[in-house]
Every structure is written in structure tokens, then in C-alpha cells.
Amino acid sequence: MSEGSATQRIRRLETLRRTAAVAMHTARQLVTPALRGQLGHNTIISTATYSPWQVDEGFRAMLGSMAACTLLDDMRLYELWQLSDQVGDLRGDAIEIGCWRGGAGCLVAHRLAQRQPGTPMFLCDTFAGVVKAGARDSVYVGGEHDDADEATVRALAARLGLTNVDVLVGIFPDDTGEAVSDRTFKFAHIDVDVYEGARDSFSWLLPRLVLGGIVVFDDYGSSTTDGIRTVIDELHGHPDVALVRNLNGQAVAVRRRLTTPGPAEA
């Protein structure tokens, strides 16, 4: 059976995509040692072109106000923007663990406040760099991303007119979990870069996560944060959560059952 023009067009695009991906990945391996020999990694190029983050005026306005205070790209920020909106009607607070200079956390705080004014948003960081790096982390050793401080985060929140943001300084949950231990959460963003930090944060959060609540793990797809990938792999099959591994580099956990005891069941 001969192939029609539409089928041929799709095959040509796929061939072009594969060729471009191989060429770009080969070049990236030259400058990124962590990618060398990693069969599970490839440079991802999609034939899809729709980019809603380019035309969402509310998102673009916020992005222009906080771009210098985040290391996340537009795709990952837009994922936070959209997912936090989808839980806007649920009860519970929101939290970001690993906020750096506060850009992504303030973006979420703004979006949640649009749906439920005053929704508390807790931004957590040591402001001394990455902690809890260990054997499951092949690149991070601790202390990275120490170029941020509490004052910068609070100044950003004030500049954006956010009255629902609070900053918790210290290791989470070890130092600061007790301050919010009696709360429940509908949205969380975990951006701590290393295995133990992400595992401890999610273990603390899960019993406090409401039904339908969402946790976004940053850096799932990065070659430098293999510890985060291990956390997600260990969560696979957990009865309480559904997992989505996004090609934008994030992983998303949605609470679908309440079998883990905790305040969220109240």
C-alpha cells in the first residue's frame, strides 16, 4: 500500500527530528560531562510547535516581573502556572521547598490568590545552598545555589503586591516543618536538586496533601539531578499517588487516595 502525502510529511518530520536531536546531543556531550555514557539521556526535540506560554498574557506579565529571580525556563514555569490554577478551588495551602530568589514561588502565589485570595504560600530555603547531597547524587555535593537571600524573596513578594507569602528559613522539614505541621496542602513545588532532600520533603508532605493535591518535582529530567529521578522511580506504584513524567524535565505527583494517615484526612 502506497503512503499518502500526509503520512509522508509526518515521516519526513520524524526523520528531521531524529537527525537534529542526535546532532544537538552529540554537541552537548562535548560540553556537559554528565551526559557522556548516559544511555537514558537524549536531547529532546519535539515536532509539536504549540507554545501556550507565548500567548498567555497574564503569565507573560508575571514572567516579566520575576524573570531575574528564577532559573526555571518558560515551559516549566508555565506548568506551575497551569497546575496551581487547577487546584485553586481545593482547600489547603501551598508550599515551595527550595525557592532560591522566589520567582517560581511568587508566580504560584499570585496564581493561587487569583482563585482564592489569601491562599497561604510558604517559600522555604536554607539560603546557604543545597543541603543533604549524598551517594545518590552524582553531581551536586552541597552548597550550590547559595547566591540568594531572604531579603530578595521578601522584596519580590512586596513588589508584586503579594500578601499571602511567608518565608521559612532553614532546612525543610528538619528545621522549619514544625512551623506548618498542622496545615494541609493542595500544591507543592519541590526544587531541592538532591535525593535525600526531595525524599524527606515528599514524605513529610504526603500525609498533609489533600485529595487531588499536586506536587511538582523540578529537575526530574536533568542529567545533573539523578537523585530526583531515583525519588520518582521509588514512588512508582505508590497507592496514594499518580505520577506523570513530563518531557519538560519535571515530574508531577497527584494525590488520588487517602490511605496514608495524616491531617489531610481530617
Side-chain angles (χ1 to χ4, degrees):
M1 179 183 296
S2 61
E3 295 185 344
S5 59
T7 300
Q8 291 176 4
R9 177 180 60 82
I10 291 173
R11 291 198 185 281
R12 286 196 297 270
L13 283 173
E14 176 60 16
T15 298
L16 179 62
R17 183 197 68 78
R18 289 177 179 270
T19 301
V22 170
M24 185 175 291
H25 194 67
T26 299
R28 289 182 68 184
Q29 286 177 311
L30 296 176
V31 297
T32 309
L35 285 172
R36 299 170 192 171
Q38 295 289 335
L39 297 180
H41 286 266
N42 192 16
T43 295
I44 300 169
I45 298 177
S46 175
T47 56
T49 58
Y50 180 51
S51 307
W53 51 88
Q54 298 277 63
V55 292
D56 187 317
E57 293 182 0
F59 173 73
R60 298 307 303 180
M62 280 296 294
L63 191 64
S65 301
M66 39 66 67
C69 292
T70 181
L71 295 175
L72 274 64
D73 57 49
D74 290 7
M75 287 185 289
R76 287 186 288 171
L77 289 170
Y78 194 67
E79 187 89 327
L80 296 175
W81 176 261
Q82 288 285 54
L83 290 175
S84 57
D85 181 61
Q86 291 181 47
V87 299
D89 291 335
L90 298 180
R91 63 183 175 89
D93 303 336
I95 190 168
E96 180 176 55
I97 304 163
C99 71
W100 195 55
R101 297 178 184 172
C106 285
L107 180 82
V108 171
H110 171 79
R111 190 61 159 164
L112 288 170
Q114 287 182 316
R115 297 293 299 277
Q116 284 190 8
T119 299
M121 178 76 194
F122 298 95
L123 305 187
C124 311
D125 209 294
T126 65
F127 299 109
V130 171
V131 295
K132 296 188 176 183
R136 291 180 175 88
D137 309 295
S138 61
V139 175
Y140 280 86
V141 297
E144 298 88 351
H145 308 307
D146 61 347
D147 47 353
D149 55 58
E150 179 186 0
T152 299
V153 177
R154 292 194 180 277
L156 176 63
R159 187 166 73 247
L160 296 174
L162 298 172
T163 60
N164 59 328
V165 169
D166 196 7
V167 182
L168 303 180
V169 182
I171 300 172
F172 188 90
D174 310 49
D175 300 331
T176 55
E178 182 62 29
V180 289
S181 61
D182 60 342
R183 294 177 177 266
T184 59
F185 296 89
K186 59 184 174 183
F187 190 84
H189 181 217
I190 297 177
D191 187 4
V192 295
D193 300 310
V194 294
Y195 171 83
E196 187 177 337
R199 180 203 62 192
D200 292 352
S201 295
F202 186 77
S203 295
W204 185 94
L205 274 170
L206 182 57
R208 297 171 174 85
L209 193 66
V210 302
L211 190 65
I214 291 174
V215 179
V216 179
F217 292 83
D218 196 59
D219 293 321
Y220 166 76
S222 173
S223 62
T224 62
T225 51
D226 42 354
I228 306 302
R229 189 164 58 257
T230 302
V231 171
I232 299 303
D233 290 345
E234 290 176 352
L235 283 175
H236 186 84
H238 193 293
D240 275 11
V241 297
L243 291 173
V244 179
R245 296 165 173 85
N246 273 350
L247 296 184
N248 67 356
Q250 294 167 325
V252 180
V254 182
R255 187 156 199 194
R256 59 179 180 174
R257 293 176 185 166
L258 294 175
T259 60
T260 303
E265 295 190 59

